[in-house]
Structures are given as structure tokens and as C-alpha cells.
């Protein structure tokens, strides 16, 4: 049994950064009457801004694929900026980390409330070594059908695996 959540890491962030840099470079080249040097510098700076600052900031939310099996939870480790940049430039090399249920001390659900409706956003795992891992649920809630069933299932499954009697719920704004 295996169930996946969120989107898989791919080449799209790098490709989008290249397109953004090319578009800005071309715009500057045309704007400054075909100044090739200015166009190249602007394009390279735009590419670096997009790929080294903007995408790494949003990477865990945009490409935070994680999956759950009977024995482990697999997730992408985006704990440092360097790991995020490596994921953008080498997505095919980036491998998921596995955390066995025996290493999980407890977990909590992070939710928000809008118009009298509770929406889950993350599951936060607390590991025996003191670290915390956030697992994104928001992409699954955008699916058609009954995505709430996926969230209910994973909460029940983790609860049963950990023997935790109740789930801590944290509310965000």
C-alpha cells in the first residue's frame, strides 16, 4: 500500500527561470536599442533571481511530494536553502528521504478556518531527534472528487501507526 500527496519535483522551476531570464534579457535588449551587453546582464540577473531566490522560497509548497507506505513516510528534504537550490538545478538527482514510523514521536495537523470551514494545510511530524518535518496537504485539496477523504485517511493511518490517541491541531490565520 502506498499513497502519494502533493506534486513531484521536476524540471519546471529551472525551465521557467530560463524563460524568465530570456524574456527579461530580450526586453532590455530591445528597450535599450539593441545593447547586447545590457540584455545579457539583465537576462542572467533575472535567471539568478528566479532560480536562486524566488523558486527556493516556494519550493516546499509547490513541489513537496511525499508518500506514505506501511513502513515509512518518504519526503523531500528542503531544510536548507542549499538543498532547495540543488533540487531546482538537479531535480532528477534529488532523492526522497525515508522516515520510519518508529522514529516519529508524535504529529500534529495545521489547519485554517474560513467561513466556518476547517481546511487542513500540513501534517507536522515530530522526530525523536528533535526535528520537525512538514508534509503539505494543500495540493491534494485542490483535486476534484473527494480530497477530504485522502486527508482523513492519512490522519487515521498515521494515528493508528503511532498509537497516538488524539491529534494536536494548530490553527493558522
Amino acid at each position: 500500500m502506498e499513497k502519494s500527496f502533493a506534486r513531484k519535483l521536476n524540471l519546471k522551476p529551472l525551465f521557467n527561470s530560463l524563460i524568465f531570464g530570456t524574456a527579461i534579457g530580450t526586453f532590455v535588449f530591445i528597450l535599450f536599442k539593441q545593447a547586447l551587453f545590457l540584455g545579457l546582464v539583465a537576462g542572467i540577473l533575472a535567471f539568478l533571481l528566479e532560480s536562486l531566490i524566488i523558486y527556493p522560497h516556494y519550493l516546499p509548497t509547490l513541489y513537496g511530494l511525499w508518500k506514505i507506505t506501511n513502513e515509512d513516510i518518504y519526503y523531500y528534504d528542503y531544510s536548507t536553502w542549499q538543498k532547495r537550490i540543488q533540487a531546482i538545478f538537479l531535480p532528477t538527482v534529488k532523492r526522497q528521504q525515508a522516515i520510519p514510523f518508529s522514529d516519529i514521536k508524535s504529529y500534529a495537523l495545521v489547519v485554517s478556518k474560513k467561513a466556518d470551514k476547517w481546511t487542513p494545510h500540513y501534517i507536522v511530524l515530530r522526530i525523536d531527534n528533535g526535528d520537525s518535518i512538514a508534509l503539505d496537504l494543500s495540493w491534494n485539496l485542490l483535486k476534484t472528487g473527494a480530497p477530504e477523504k485522502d486527508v482523513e485517511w492519512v490522519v487515521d493511518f498515521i494515528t493508528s501507526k503511532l498509537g497516538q490517541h488524539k491529534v494536536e491541531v494548530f490553527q493558522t490565520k
Side-chain angles (χ1 to χ4, degrees):
M1 186 271 328
E2 180 179 300
K3 198 162 190 87
S4 297
F5 293 83
R7 282 197 322 187
K8 184 178 181 184
L9 183 62
N10 56 38
L11 287 168
K12 192 172 181 181
L14 183 60
F15 185 68
N16 285 348
S17 297
L18 285 170
I19 290 174
F20 181 69
T22 303
I24 296 298
T26 303
F27 177 74
V28 169
F29 174 74
I30 292 169
L31 184 67
F32 289 102
K33 299 184 184 358
Q34 300 183 349
L36 182 61
F37 180 74
L38 285 176
L40 282 173
V41 169
I44 291 169
L45 287 175
F47 167 75
L48 292 174
L49 173 75
E50 181 91 358
S51 63
L52 299 177
I53 297 174
I54 296 172
Y55 261 115
H57 179 70
Y58 295 105
L59 198 65
T61 303
L62 294 174
Y63 297 97
L65 175 76
W66 61 279
K67 58 187 171 188
I68 189 167
T69 66
N70 281 328
E71 296 81 28
D72 302 315
I73 296 177
Y74 296 87
Y75 67 99
Y76 285 113
D77 182 8
Y78 295 134
S79 59
T80 66
W81 206 262
Q82 182 179 358
K83 290 178 182 179
R84 294 176 186 194
I85 291 171
Q86 180 187 24
I88 291 169
F89 284 94
L90 301 168
T92 57
V93 176
K94 184 78 171 166
R95 299 285 176 237
Q96 288 189 314
Q97 303 291 317
I99 182 94
F101 283 104
S102 60
D103 289 352
I104 301 172
K105 188 176 4 176
S106 66
Y107 82 104
L109 191 61
V110 178
V111 300
S112 66
K113 185 176 182 182
K114 289 184 181 177
D116 294 332
K117 183 179 179 190
W118 294 95
T119 305
H121 292 284
Y122 293 97
I123 291 176
V124 179
L125 304 175
R126 291 188 187 91
I127 311 304
D128 286 338
N129 67 5
D131 290 342
S132 293
I133 299 168
L135 305 173
D136 187 27
L137 295 168
S138 59
W139 279 102
N140 286 65
L141 293 175
L142 297 174
K143 292 190 317 187
T144 57
E148 294 85 12
K149 297 290 184 196
D150 288 341
V151 174
E152 288 176 23
W153 178 87
V154 79
V155 167
D156 291 342
F157 186 78
I158 294 173
T159 301
S160 69
K161 282 292 198 182
L162 297 180
Q164 193 170 323
H165 298 293
K166 65 178 189 172
V167 179
E168 287 184 79
V169 177
F170 298 106
Q171 184 178 354
T172 66
K173 294 189 180 208

